[in-house]
Amino acid sequence: MYIFALKNAKQLSRQICKKTKLRLGLFKAKRFSDGEIYLQIKNEVKGQKVFILGSTCQDKNILEFLILINALKENGAKKITAIFPYFSYSRQDKKDRLGAPITAKLMANLFKQAGVNQFITVDIHSQRDKDYLKPKLINLDPLPIFANYIKKNISLKNTIIVAPDNGARNRAFKLAKLLDPLPVLVMQKIRPQQNMAKILKFKKNIIGKNVIITDDMIDTAGTICAACHELKEHKVKDIYIFTTHGILSGPAIERIKKAPIKQVVLTDTYPIPKEKRIKKIKILPIAPLLIKEL
Ligand code: R5P
């Protein structure tokens, strides 16, 4: 069986091939003079089950992913499984205001239409996203990886788990359960405008506690930094962040540098360039979780 990987997932696909029976599929992709993508697979896939792995982190990758699926389908692949370590547009999962689209649903439909029979995702943003990718979705849970890391590296004494908003509530309780269980605090967030996060004030005595904030992703780091500042007002001790996807766009790295955070722990579901791999950030590999499923 073959696994085809976009350029941005080559390293991950090699790790997978080393530990499974999958072989790396070959294809060439180039651009015509007018910018259109031309793609050609180099393996015989007729009647075969194939996997495709890639980050859809930029729109041009989405198109290449779709064209690759189509090439596999048109050349007779029997079952196509798309692996999205991070499912982009997942936060645009509802009509949040009049005139808005539902881009997550559109994305799911595009991939199904192109020929995907099954999806594998990691810590997908919402139940709505899961519904769009049904009926064949396997959504992998990275929390046991985080729990293991926490047990080995962070004292559980006097420690609480914090969800920075309601969306992270279930994740926080799940992580807490894997850790003895630990107590959970759920904060409330509002977004006065897009890409701006405001954490609401709360009353609870958490003086001197160590805090583990958990969320599905850090994008501009507005959410986690606002949460940290509010927690510091409550005189907490050390703050750790555990989030699956490190998008780290715009001001994220500068914000993380300045924020009262001891460590940010992410996985490599999203490509993180060298210059963003600062000392405070620890990246755990997602390959072991994917390998179990392949
Ligand atoms: C929101 O629903 C997500 O779960 C994250 O809290 C959010 O997307 C993080 O974005 P940012 O880092 O820009 O605040």
Side-chain angles (χ1 to χ4, degrees), residues 56-59 62 66 84 86-97 99-112 119 124-126 128-133 194:
T56 52
C57 60
Q58 284 165 357
D59 290 352
I62 297 173
L66 286 167
F84 296 123
Y86 170 72
F87 184 54
S88 48
Y89 287 97
S90 58
R91 284 172 293 174
Q92 298 193 47
D93 60 353
K94 58 177 182 295
K95 238 195 276 173
D96 64 344
R97 63 197 68 191
I102 308 180
T103 312
K105 188 173 168 188
L106 168 70
M107 288 276 290
N109 289 339
L110 281 173
F111 281 99
K112 284 182 191 171
F119 295 96
I124 197 161
H125 179 66
S126 68
R128 283 189 199 93
D129 291 322
K130 287 184 190 167
D131 293 341
Y132 300 148
L133 294 170
Q194 281 168 340

Side-chain angles (χ1 to χ4, degrees), residues 91 125 165 189 191 195 215-223:
R91 284 172 293 174
H125 179 66
D165 57 26
K189 178 175 82 180
R191 287 209 183 268
N195 276 145
D215 203 355
D216 59 342
M217 66 183 86
I218 301 177
D219 184 357
T220 64
T223 300

Side-chain angles (χ1 to χ4, degrees), residues 127-225:
Q127 183 56 46
R128 283 189 199 93
D129 291 322
K130 287 184 190 167
D131 293 341
Y132 300 148
L133 294 170
K134 272 178 184 169
K136 291 275 186 171
L137 167 69
I138 298 169
N139 181 47
L140 303 174
D141 179 8
L143 291 182
I145 298 178
F146 286 155
N148 266 343
Y149 182 88
I150 292 168
K151 281 181 196 159
K152 284 185 195 149
N153 296 287
I154 297 171
S155 162
L156 297 186
K157 226 176 123 197
N158 214 18
T159 299
I160 58 168
I161 305 288
V162 169
D165 57 26
N166 249 327
R169 182 191 191 92
N170 289 347
R171 175 177 292 100
F173 277 100
K174 253 183 168 177
L175 182 61
K177 209 169 159 194
L178 296 171
L179 298 167
D180 267 0
L182 292 178
V184 174
L185 169 71
V186 181
M187 299 172 108
Q188 299 300 321
K189 178 175 82 180
I190 52 167
R191 287 209 183 268
Q193 62 187 67
Q194 281 168 340
N195 276 145
M196 185 186 277
K198 188 167 184 250
I199 297 285
L200 302 184
K201 301 231 162 276
F202 64 90
K203 280 188 190 148
K204 192 166 169 105
N205 184 0
I206 48 170
I207 295 175
K209 300 267 186 212
N210 292 315
V211 173
I212 294 172
I213 301 180
T214 185
D215 203 355
D216 59 342
M217 66 183 86
I218 301 177
D219 184 357
T220 64
T223 300
I224 55 149
C225 290

